[in-house]
Amino acid sequence: MFGFLKSDPGLRLRKKLRKKYDNLSTQAMLAQRKGDIKTYSLLTAEAETLWNEIQQLNIKQS
């Protein structure tokens, strides 16, 4: 009856992953600005992997 009051555990995980993704993207941008292309590419690859994981969680949730 009051199922709408229960929090979605998947939502909490998606928010945590999104925050980590945003942080990685910011770090990658700063590395690129400094001219550190190797670090930029590593951080971007990690962020892309994380983004794919977030997308898969969104698909499963729908």
Side-chain angles (χ1 to χ4, degrees):
M1 180 173 174
F2 291 104
F4 66 91
L5 294 176
K6 294 180 181 177
S7 96
D8 179 18
L11 178 64
R12 198 173 308 141
L13 176 62
R14 287 191 305 272
K15 282 184 179 182
K16 182 179 176 183
L17 291 176
R18 179 60 192 249
K19 188 173 183 177
K20 186 175 179 181
Y21 169 79
D22 290 340
N23 188 24
L24 282 171
S25 296
T26 302
Q27 288 177 359
M29 176 199 58
L30 293 174
Q32 184 181 28
R33 284 184 178 177
K34 290 180 184 178
D36 189 358
I37 301 304
K38 184 176 181 179
T39 303
Y40 164 74
S41 63
L42 292 172
L43 290 172
T44 302
E46 188 176 344
E48 186 175 323
T49 303
L50 194 58
W51 182 254
N52 289 335
E53 186 177 337
I54 292 169
Q55 293 294 6
Q56 290 299 321
L57 286 173
N58 286 338
I59 290 171
K60 287 181 183 177
Q61 191 264 343
S62 294

Short mmCIF file of all heavy atoms in Angstrom, two decimals:
data_model
loop_
_atom_site.label_atom_id
_atom_site.label_comp_id
_atom_site.label_asym_id
_atom_site.label_seq_id
_atom_site.Cartn_x
_atom_site.Cartn_y
_atom_site.Cartn_z
N MET A 1 0.81 -1.19 0.00
CA MET A 1 0.00 0.00 0.00
C MET A 1 0.86 1.26 0.00
O MET A 1 0.55 2.21 -0.68
CB MET A 1 -0.93 -0.03 1.20
CG MET A 1 -1.82 1.18 1.29
SD MET A 1 -3.01 0.93 2.60
CE MET A 1 -3.76 2.51 2.60
N PHE A 2 1.92 1.26 0.81
CA PHE A 2 2.79 2.43 0.87
C PHE A 2 4.13 2.16 0.20
O PHE A 2 5.17 2.60 0.65
CB PHE A 2 3.01 2.86 2.32
CG PHE A 2 1.77 3.43 2.96
CD1 PHE A 2 1.03 2.68 3.85
CD2 PHE A 2 1.35 4.70 2.63
CE1 PHE A 2 -0.10 3.19 4.42
CE2 PHE A 2 0.21 5.23 3.20
CZ PHE A 2 -0.52 4.47 4.10
N GLY A 3 4.11 1.41 -0.88
CA GLY A 3 5.33 1.07 -1.61
C GLY A 3 6.04 2.28 -2.19
O GLY A 3 7.24 2.27 -2.39
N PHE A 4 5.28 3.35 -2.43
CA PHE A 4 5.89 4.54 -3.01
C PHE A 4 6.80 5.26 -2.01
O PHE A 4 7.62 6.08 -2.39
CB PHE A 4 4.82 5.49 -3.55
CG PHE A 4 3.95 6.09 -2.47
CD1 PHE A 4 4.29 7.29 -1.89
CD2 PHE A 4 2.79 5.46 -2.06
CE1 PHE A 4 3.49 7.85 -0.91
CE2 PHE A 4 1.98 6.00 -1.09
CZ PHE A 4 2.34 7.21 -0.50
N LEU A 5 6.69 4.95 -0.74
CA LEU A 5 7.52 5.58 0.28
C LEU A 5 8.88 4.88 0.43
O LEU A 5 9.81 5.46 0.97
CB LEU A 5 6.82 5.59 1.64
CG LEU A 5 5.56 6.46 1.73
CD1 LEU A 5 4.91 6.29 3.08
CD2 LEU A 5 5.87 7.91 1.46
N LYS A 6 8.98 3.66 -0.06
CA LYS A 6 10.23 2.92 0.06
C LYS A 6 11.24 3.45 -0.96
O LYS A 6 10.90 3.74 -2.10
CB LYS A 6 10.00 1.43 -0.18
CG LYS A 6 9.14 0.79 0.88
CD LYS A 6 8.94 -0.68 0.61
CE LYS A 6 8.05 -1.28 1.67
NZ LYS A 6 7.78 -2.70 1.41
N SER A 7 12.48 3.56 -0.51
CA SER A 7 13.50 4.06 -1.43
C SER A 7 13.99 2.93 -2.33
O SER A 7 14.05 1.77 -1.93
CB SER A 7 14.66 4.68 -0.65
OG SER A 7 15.70 3.81 -0.46
N ASP A 8 14.33 3.29 -3.53
CA ASP A 8 14.83 2.34 -4.53
C ASP A 8 16.33 2.17 -4.31
O ASP A 8 17.10 3.12 -4.47
CB ASP A 8 14.54 2.88 -5.92
CG ASP A 8 15.03 1.97 -7.02
OD1 ASP A 8 15.28 0.79 -6.74
OD2 ASP A 8 15.15 2.45 -8.16
N PRO A 9 16.80 0.96 -3.94
CA PRO A 9 18.24 0.78 -3.72
C PRO A 9 19.06 0.98 -5.00
O PRO A 9 20.20 1.40 -4.96
CB PRO A 9 18.36 -0.65 -3.21
CG PRO A 9 17.10 -1.33 -3.59
CD PRO A 9 16.05 -0.26 -3.71
N GLY A 10 18.46 0.71 -6.14
CA GLY A 10 19.15 0.93 -7.41
C GLY A 10 19.38 2.40 -7.68
O GLY A 10 20.39 2.79 -8.28
N LEU A 11 18.46 3.24 -7.22
CA LEU A 11 18.60 4.68 -7.42
C LEU A 11 19.81 5.20 -6.66
O LEU A 11 20.59 6.01 -7.18
CB LEU A 11 17.34 5.40 -6.95
CG LEU A 11 17.35 6.92 -7.05
CD1 LEU A 11 17.46 7.34 -8.50
CD2 LEU A 11 16.10 7.49 -6.42
N ARG A 12 20.00 4.72 -5.45
CA ARG A 12 21.14 5.14 -4.64
C ARG A 12 22.46 4.75 -5.33
O ARG A 12 23.40 5.53 -5.38
CB ARG A 12 21.05 4.50 -3.26
CG ARG A 12 21.91 5.18 -2.23
CD ARG A 12 21.68 4.66 -0.82
NE ARG A 12 20.27 4.68 -0.46
CZ ARG A 12 19.67 3.71 0.24
NH1 ARG A 12 20.34 2.67 0.65
NH2 ARG A 12 18.39 3.79 0.52
N LEU A 13 22.50 3.54 -5.89
CA LEU A 13 23.69 3.08 -6.59
C LEU A 13 23.95 3.91 -7.84
O LEU A 13 25.09 4.31 -8.12
CB LEU A 13 23.55 1.60 -6.97
CG LEU A 13 24.67 1.00 -7.79
CD1 LEU A 13 25.99 1.04 -7.02
CD2 LEU A 13 24.33 -0.42 -8.18
N ARG A 14 22.90 4.20 -8.59
CA ARG A 14 23.06 5.01 -9.81
C ARG A 14 23.56 6.42 -9.48
O ARG A 14 24.40 6.96 -10.20
CB ARG A 14 21.75 5.08 -10.58
CG ARG A 14 21.41 3.77 -11.28
CD ARG A 14 20.27 3.90 -12.25
NE ARG A 14 19.06 4.45 -11.69
CZ ARG A 14 18.10 3.73 -11.10
NH1 ARG A 14 18.23 2.43 -10.99
NH2 ARG A 14 17.02 4.30 -10.62
N LYS A 15 23.07 7.00 -8.39
CA LYS A 15 23.53 8.33 -7.99
C LYS A 15 25.00 8.30 -7.60
O LYS A 15 25.76 9.20 -7.97
CB LYS A 15 22.71 8.86 -6.82
CG LYS A 15 21.36 9.38 -7.20
CD LYS A 15 20.66 9.98 -6.00
CE LYS A 15 19.30 10.52 -6.38
NZ LYS A 15 18.64 11.14 -5.23
N LYS A 16 25.40 7.25 -6.89
CA LYS A 16 26.79 7.11 -6.48
C LYS A 16 27.71 6.95 -7.69
O LYS A 16 28.76 7.59 -7.78
CB LYS A 16 26.93 5.91 -5.55
CG LYS A 16 28.31 5.70 -5.01
CD LYS A 16 28.35 4.49 -4.09
CE LYS A 16 29.76 4.19 -3.62
NZ LYS A 16 29.81 2.99 -2.79
N LEU A 17 27.28 6.12 -8.64
CA LEU A 17 28.08 5.91 -9.85
C LEU A 17 28.14 7.18 -10.70
O LEU A 17 29.17 7.48 -11.29
CB LEU A 17 27.53 4.74 -10.66
CG LEU A 17 27.69 3.35 -10.03
CD1 LEU A 17 27.00 2.31 -10.90
CD2 LEU A 17 29.14 3.01 -9.83
N ARG A 18 27.04 7.91 -10.76
CA ARG A 18 27.01 9.14 -11.55
C ARG A 18 27.96 10.19 -10.96
O ARG A 18 28.65 10.89 -11.69
CB ARG A 18 25.57 9.68 -11.61
CG ARG A 18 25.43 10.97 -12.39
CD ARG A 18 25.89 10.77 -13.84
NE ARG A 18 26.02 12.02 -14.51
CZ ARG A 18 25.22 12.44 -15.48
NH1 ARG A 18 24.26 11.67 -15.91
NH2 ARG A 18 25.41 13.60 -16.04
N LYS A 19 27.99 10.24 -9.63
CA LYS A 19 28.89 11.19 -8.98
C LYS A 19 30.35 10.82 -9.28
O LYS A 19 31.17 11.69 -9.57
CB LYS A 19 28.65 11.19 -7.48
CG LYS A 19 29.39 12.25 -6.73
CD LYS A 19 28.96 12.30 -5.28
CE LYS A 19 29.68 13.43 -4.55
NZ LYS A 19 29.25 13.54 -3.17
N LYS A 20 30.65 9.53 -9.25
CA LYS A 20 32.01 9.06 -9.57
C LYS A 20 32.34 9.36 -11.03
O LYS A 20 33.44 9.79 -11.35
CB LYS A 20 32.13 7.57 -9.29
CG LYS A 20 33.52 7.03 -9.45
CD LYS A 20 33.61 5.58 -9.04
CE LYS A 20 35.03 5.06 -9.22
NZ LYS A 20 35.15 3.66 -8.86
N TYR A 21 31.36 9.16 -11.92
CA TYR A 21 31.55 9.46 -13.34
C TYR A 21 31.85 10.94 -13.55
O TYR A 21 32.77 11.30 -14.29
CB TYR A 21 30.31 9.06 -14.14
CG TYR A 21 30.32 9.56 -15.55
CD1 TYR A 21 31.06 8.92 -16.53
CD2 TYR A 21 29.58 10.69 -15.90
CE1 TYR A 21 31.09 9.39 -17.83
CE2 TYR A 21 29.61 11.17 -17.20
CZ TYR A 21 30.36 10.52 -18.15
OH TYR A 21 30.39 11.00 -19.44
N ASP A 22 31.08 11.79 -12.90
CA ASP A 22 31.30 13.23 -13.03
C ASP A 22 32.69 13.63 -12.53
O ASP A 22 33.36 14.46 -13.14
CB ASP A 22 30.23 14.01 -12.26
CG ASP A 22 28.86 13.91 -12.91
OD1 ASP A 22 28.78 13.58 -14.11
OD2 ASP A 22 27.86 14.16 -12.20
N ASN A 23 33.10 13.02 -11.43
CA ASN A 23 34.42 13.32 -10.88
C ASN A 23 35.53 12.88 -11.85
O ASN A 23 36.49 13.63 -12.08
CB ASN A 23 34.59 12.63 -9.52
CG ASN A 23 35.85 13.05 -8.81
OD1 ASN A 23 36.38 14.11 -9.06
ND2 ASN A 23 36.32 12.20 -7.93
N LEU A 24 35.40 11.68 -12.42
CA LEU A 24 36.40 11.20 -13.38
C LEU A 24 36.45 12.09 -14.62
O LEU A 24 37.54 12.39 -15.13
CB LEU A 24 36.08 9.76 -13.80
CG LEU A 24 36.45 8.67 -12.81
CD1 LEU A 24 35.88 7.33 -13.28
CD2 LEU A 24 37.95 8.58 -12.65
N SER A 25 35.30 12.53 -15.09
CA SER A 25 35.26 13.39 -16.26
C SER A 25 35.94 14.73 -15.99
O SER A 25 36.67 15.25 -16.84
CB SER A 25 33.81 13.63 -16.69
OG SER A 25 33.21 12.43 -17.08
N THR A 26 35.73 15.26 -14.81
CA THR A 26 36.37 16.52 -14.43
C THR A 26 37.88 16.35 -14.33
O THR A 26 38.64 17.19 -14.83
CB THR A 26 35.80 17.02 -13.09
OG1 THR A 26 34.39 17.19 -13.22
CG2 THR A 26 36.43 18.34 -12.68
N GLN A 27 38.32 15.26 -13.71
CA GLN A 27 39.75 15.00 -13.62
C GLN A 27 40.38 14.84 -15.00
O GLN A 27 41.48 15.32 -15.25
CB GLN A 27 40.02 13.75 -12.78
CG GLN A 27 39.76 13.92 -11.31
CD GLN A 27 39.98 12.62 -10.55
OE1 GLN A 27 40.30 11.59 -11.14
NE2 GLN A 27 39.80 12.66 -9.25
N ALA A 28 39.66 14.17 -15.90
CA ALA A 28 40.16 13.98 -17.26
C ALA A 28 40.29 15.32 -17.97
O ALA A 28 41.30 15.57 -18.66
CB ALA A 28 39.23 13.05 -18.03
N MET A 29 39.31 16.19 -17.81
CA MET A 29 39.36 17.50 -18.45
C MET A 29 40.55 18.30 -17.93
O MET A 29 41.28 18.93 -18.71
CB MET A 29 38.06 18.27 -18.18
CG MET A 29 38.07 19.68 -18.74
SD MET A 29 36.86 20.78 -18.00
CE MET A 29 37.29 20.72 -16.28
N LEU A 30 40.77 18.25 -16.62
CA LEU A 30 41.90 19.00 -16.05
C LEU A 30 43.24 18.44 -16.52
O LEU A 30 44.17 19.20 -16.79
CB LEU A 30 41.80 18.98 -14.52
CG LEU A 30 40.62 19.74 -13.93
CD1 LEU A 30 40.56 19.53 -12.43
CD2 LEU A 30 40.69 21.22 -14.27
N ALA A 31 43.33 17.12 -16.65
CA ALA A 31 44.56 16.51 -17.16
C ALA A 31 44.81 16.94 -18.60
O ALA A 31 45.95 17.22 -18.99
CB ALA A 31 44.47 14.99 -17.06
N GLN A 32 43.75 17.01 -19.39
CA GLN A 32 43.88 17.43 -20.78
C GLN A 32 44.36 18.88 -20.86
O GLN A 32 45.21 19.22 -21.67
CB GLN A 32 42.56 17.28 -21.52
CG GLN A 32 42.64 17.60 -22.99
CD GLN A 32 41.30 17.48 -23.69
OE1 GLN A 32 40.27 17.67 -23.05
NE2 GLN A 32 41.33 17.16 -24.96
N ARG A 33 43.83 19.72 -20.00
CA ARG A 33 44.24 21.12 -19.99
C ARG A 33 45.71 21.28 -19.63
O ARG A 33 46.38 22.19 -20.10
CB ARG A 33 43.40 21.92 -18.99
CG ARG A 33 42.02 22.23 -19.48
CD ARG A 33 41.31 23.10 -18.50
NE ARG A 33 39.99 23.44 -18.97
CZ ARG A 33 39.12 24.15 -18.28
NH1 ARG A 33 39.44 24.58 -17.07
NH2 ARG A 33 37.94 24.42 -18.76
N LYS A 34 46.19 20.39 -18.77
CA LYS A 34 47.60 20.44 -18.37
C LYS A 34 48.51 19.83 -19.44
O LYS A 34 49.73 19.94 -19.34
CB LYS A 34 47.81 19.68 -17.05
CG LYS A 34 47.20 20.35 -15.86
CD LYS A 34 47.46 19.53 -14.61
CE LYS A 34 46.78 20.13 -13.41
NZ LYS A 34 47.01 19.30 -12.21
N GLY A 35 47.94 19.17 -20.42
CA GLY A 35 48.72 18.56 -21.48
C GLY A 35 49.13 17.13 -21.19
O GLY A 35 49.94 16.55 -21.90
N ASP A 36 48.56 16.55 -20.15
CA ASP A 36 48.86 15.16 -19.78
C ASP A 36 47.89 14.24 -20.50
O ASP A 36 46.89 13.79 -19.95
CB ASP A 36 48.76 15.00 -18.26
CG ASP A 36 49.27 13.67 -17.76
OD1 ASP A 36 49.67 12.83 -18.60
OD2 ASP A 36 49.26 13.46 -16.53
N ILE A 37 48.20 13.93 -21.74
CA ILE A 37 47.28 13.19 -22.60
C ILE A 37 47.14 11.73 -22.16
O ILE A 37 46.06 11.14 -22.26
CB ILE A 37 47.74 13.27 -24.07
CG1 ILE A 37 47.80 14.73 -24.52
CG2 ILE A 37 46.80 12.47 -24.98
CD1 ILE A 37 46.51 15.50 -24.36
N LYS A 38 48.20 11.15 -21.64
CA LYS A 38 48.13 9.76 -21.18
C LYS A 38 47.13 9.62 -20.04
O LYS A 38 46.27 8.74 -20.05
CB LYS A 38 49.51 9.27 -20.74
CG LYS A 38 49.53 7.82 -20.33
CD LYS A 38 50.93 7.35 -20.00
CE LYS A 38 50.91 5.89 -19.63
NZ LYS A 38 52.24 5.39 -19.31
N THR A 39 47.23 10.49 -19.04
CA THR A 39 46.28 10.45 -17.91
C THR A 39 44.87 10.75 -18.39
O THR A 39 43.91 10.13 -17.95
CB THR A 39 46.71 11.46 -16.82
OG1 THR A 39 48.03 11.15 -16.40
CG2 THR A 39 45.78 11.40 -15.63
N TYR A 40 44.77 11.71 -19.31
CA TYR A 40 43.47 12.06 -19.87
C TYR A 40 42.81 10.84 -20.52
O TYR A 40 41.64 10.55 -20.28
CB TYR A 40 43.62 13.18 -20.90
CG TYR A 40 42.41 13.34 -21.79
CD1 TYR A 40 41.24 13.92 -21.31
CD2 TYR A 40 42.43 12.91 -23.11
CE1 TYR A 40 40.13 14.05 -22.12
CE2 TYR A 40 41.34 13.04 -23.93
CZ TYR A 40 40.19 13.62 -23.43
OH TYR A 40 39.08 13.73 -24.24
N SER A 41 43.58 10.10 -21.30
CA SER A 41 43.00 8.95 -22.00
C SER A 41 42.62 7.84 -21.03
O SER A 41 41.60 7.17 -21.20
CB SER A 41 43.94 8.44 -23.08
OG SER A 41 45.14 7.98 -22.52
N LEU A 42 43.44 7.62 -19.99
CA LEU A 42 43.12 6.60 -19.00
C LEU A 42 41.84 6.95 -18.23
O LEU A 42 40.96 6.10 -18.02
CB LEU A 42 44.28 6.41 -18.03
CG LEU A 42 45.55 5.79 -18.60
CD1 LEU A 42 46.68 5.84 -17.58
CD2 LEU A 42 45.28 4.37 -19.05
N LEU A 43 41.74 8.21 -17.80
CA LEU A 43 40.56 8.64 -17.05
C LEU A 43 39.30 8.62 -17.92
O LEU A 43 38.22 8.26 -17.47
CB LEU A 43 40.78 10.04 -16.46
CG LEU A 43 41.80 10.12 -15.33
CD1 LEU A 43 42.07 11.58 -14.99
CD2 LEU A 43 41.31 9.36 -14.11
N THR A 44 39.46 9.01 -19.17
CA THR A 44 38.32 9.00 -20.08
C THR A 44 37.83 7.57 -20.33
O THR A 44 36.62 7.32 -20.36
CB THR A 44 38.69 9.67 -21.41
OG1 THR A 44 39.13 11.01 -21.15
CG2 THR A 44 37.51 9.71 -22.36
N ALA A 45 38.75 6.64 -20.49
CA ALA A 45 38.37 5.24 -20.70
C ALA A 45 37.65 4.69 -19.47
O ALA A 45 36.64 3.99 -19.59
CB ALA A 45 39.60 4.41 -21.01
N GLU A 46 38.15 5.03 -18.29
CA GLU A 46 37.50 4.57 -17.06
C GLU A 46 36.11 5.19 -16.91
O GLU A 46 35.15 4.51 -16.54
CB GLU A 46 38.37 4.94 -15.86
CG GLU A 46 37.90 4.35 -14.56
CD GLU A 46 38.83 4.65 -13.40
OE1 GLU A 46 39.98 5.05 -13.64
OE2 GLU A 46 38.39 4.46 -12.26
N ALA A 47 35.99 6.47 -17.24
CA ALA A 47 34.70 7.14 -17.16
C ALA A 47 33.71 6.55 -18.17
O ALA A 47 32.52 6.38 -17.87
CB ALA A 47 34.86 8.64 -17.41
N GLU A 48 34.19 6.20 -19.35
CA GLU A 48 33.32 5.61 -20.38
C GLU A 48 32.80 4.24 -19.93
O GLU A 48 31.63 3.91 -20.12
CB GLU A 48 34.08 5.49 -21.69
CG GLU A 48 33.21 5.04 -22.84
CD GLU A 48 33.98 5.04 -24.15
OE1 GLU A 48 34.81 5.95 -24.36
OE2 GLU A 48 33.73 4.12 -24.95
N THR A 49 33.67 3.45 -19.32
CA THR A 49 33.26 2.15 -18.79
C THR A 49 32.20 2.32 -17.71
O THR A 49 31.20 1.60 -17.68
CB THR A 49 34.49 1.40 -18.21
OG1 THR A 49 35.46 1.27 -19.23
CG2 THR A 49 34.10 0.04 -17.68
N LEU A 50 32.42 3.29 -16.85
CA LEU A 50 31.45 3.56 -15.79
C LEU A 50 30.13 4.04 -16.37
O LEU A 50 29.06 3.64 -15.90
CB LEU A 50 32.04 4.61 -14.84
CG LEU A 50 31.36 4.81 -13.51
CD1 LEU A 50 31.31 3.52 -12.73
CD2 LEU A 50 32.09 5.87 -12.71
N TRP A 51 30.18 4.86 -17.41
CA TRP A 51 28.96 5.35 -18.05
C TRP A 51 28.15 4.19 -18.65
O TRP A 51 26.93 4.16 -18.55
CB TRP A 51 29.28 6.38 -19.12
CG TRP A 51 28.05 6.93 -19.76
CD1 TRP A 51 27.58 6.66 -20.99
CD2 TRP A 51 27.12 7.83 -19.15
NE1 TRP A 51 26.41 7.35 -21.20
CE2 TRP A 51 26.10 8.07 -20.09
CE3 TRP A 51 27.05 8.45 -17.91
CZ2 TRP A 51 25.03 8.91 -19.82
CZ3 TRP A 51 25.98 9.29 -17.65
CH2 TRP A 51 24.98 9.51 -18.60
N ASN A 52 28.85 3.24 -19.27
CA ASN A 52 28.17 2.07 -19.83
C ASN A 52 27.49 1.26 -18.72
O ASN A 52 26.38 0.75 -18.92
CB ASN A 52 29.15 1.19 -20.60
CG ASN A 52 29.58 1.84 -21.89
OD1 ASN A 52 28.87 2.67 -22.46
ND2 ASN A 52 30.76 1.49 -22.35
N GLU A 53 28.13 1.16 -17.57
CA GLU A 53 27.54 0.45 -16.44
C GLU A 53 26.28 1.18 -15.94
O GLU A 53 25.26 0.55 -15.64
CB GLU A 53 28.56 0.35 -15.31
CG GLU A 53 28.10 -0.48 -14.14
CD GLU A 53 29.16 -0.61 -13.07
OE1 GLU A 53 30.35 -0.46 -13.36
OE2 GLU A 53 28.77 -0.88 -11.91
N ILE A 54 26.34 2.49 -15.90
CA ILE A 54 25.17 3.28 -15.48
C ILE A 54 24.03 3.08 -16.47
O ILE A 54 22.87 2.90 -16.07
CB ILE A 54 25.54 4.77 -15.38
CG1 ILE A 54 26.52 4.99 -14.22
CG2 ILE A 54 24.30 5.63 -15.18
CD1 ILE A 54 27.16 6.36 -14.20
N GLN A 55 24.35 3.07 -17.75
CA GLN A 55 23.31 2.87 -18.77
C GLN A 55 22.67 1.50 -18.63
O GLN A 55 21.46 1.36 -18.79
CB GLN A 55 23.90 3.05 -20.18
CG GLN A 55 24.33 4.45 -20.49
CD GLN A 55 23.17 5.42 -20.55
OE1 GLN A 55 22.03 5.13 -20.25
NE2 GLN A 55 23.47 6.63 -20.93
N GLN A 56 23.47 0.47 -18.35
CA GLN A 56 22.91 -0.87 -18.17
C GLN A 56 21.98 -0.93 -16.96
O GLN A 56 20.94 -1.57 -17.01
CB GLN A 56 24.05 -1.90 -18.01
CG GLN A 56 24.83 -2.15 -19.26
CD GLN A 56 23.95 -2.71 -20.38
OE1 GLN A 56 23.09 -3.52 -20.15
NE2 GLN A 56 24.21 -2.22 -21.59
N LEU A 57 22.34 -0.22 -15.89
CA LEU A 57 21.47 -0.18 -14.71
C LEU A 57 20.15 0.53 -15.04
O LEU A 57 19.10 0.13 -14.57
CB LEU A 57 22.17 0.52 -13.54
CG LEU A 57 23.28 -0.26 -12.86
CD1 LEU A 57 24.01 0.63 -11.86
CD2 LEU A 57 22.73 -1.50 -12.19
N ASN A 58 20.24 1.58 -15.85
CA ASN A 58 19.02 2.30 -16.24
C ASN A 58 18.12 1.43 -17.10
O ASN A 58 16.89 1.47 -16.98
CB ASN A 58 19.38 3.57 -16.99
CG ASN A 58 19.90 4.66 -16.07
OD1 ASN A 58 19.64 4.62 -14.87
ND2 ASN A 58 20.67 5.56 -16.61
N ILE A 59 18.72 0.63 -17.98
CA ILE A 59 17.92 -0.26 -18.83
C ILE A 59 17.23 -1.34 -18.00
O ILE A 59 16.06 -1.63 -18.18
CB ILE A 59 18.81 -0.90 -19.92
CG1 ILE A 59 19.23 0.16 -20.93
CG2 ILE A 59 18.09 -2.04 -20.61
CD1 ILE A 59 20.28 -0.31 -21.91
N LYS A 60 17.96 -1.90 -17.04
CA LYS A 60 17.38 -2.95 -16.17
C LYS A 60 16.26 -2.37 -15.31
O LYS A 60 15.30 -3.06 -15.02
CB LYS A 60 18.46 -3.54 -15.27
CG LYS A 60 19.43 -4.43 -15.98
CD LYS A 60 20.45 -4.99 -15.04
CE LYS A 60 21.49 -5.82 -15.77
NZ LYS A 60 22.53 -6.31 -14.85
N GLN A 61 16.40 -1.12 -14.90
CA GLN A 61 15.41 -0.49 -14.04
C GLN A 61 14.11 -0.20 -14.80
O GLN A 61 13.03 -0.27 -14.26
CB GLN A 61 15.99 0.82 -13.46
CG GLN A 61 15.18 1.42 -12.36
CD GLN A 61 14.24 2.52 -12.84
OE1 GLN A 61 14.39 3.05 -13.92
NE2 GLN A 61 13.27 2.83 -12.04
N SER A 62 14.22 0.10 -16.07
CA SER A 62 13.03 0.45 -16.87
C SER A 62 12.16 -0.73 -17.17
O SER A 62 12.41 -1.82 -17.23
CB SER A 62 13.44 1.09 -18.17
OG SER A 62 14.07 2.31 -17.93
#
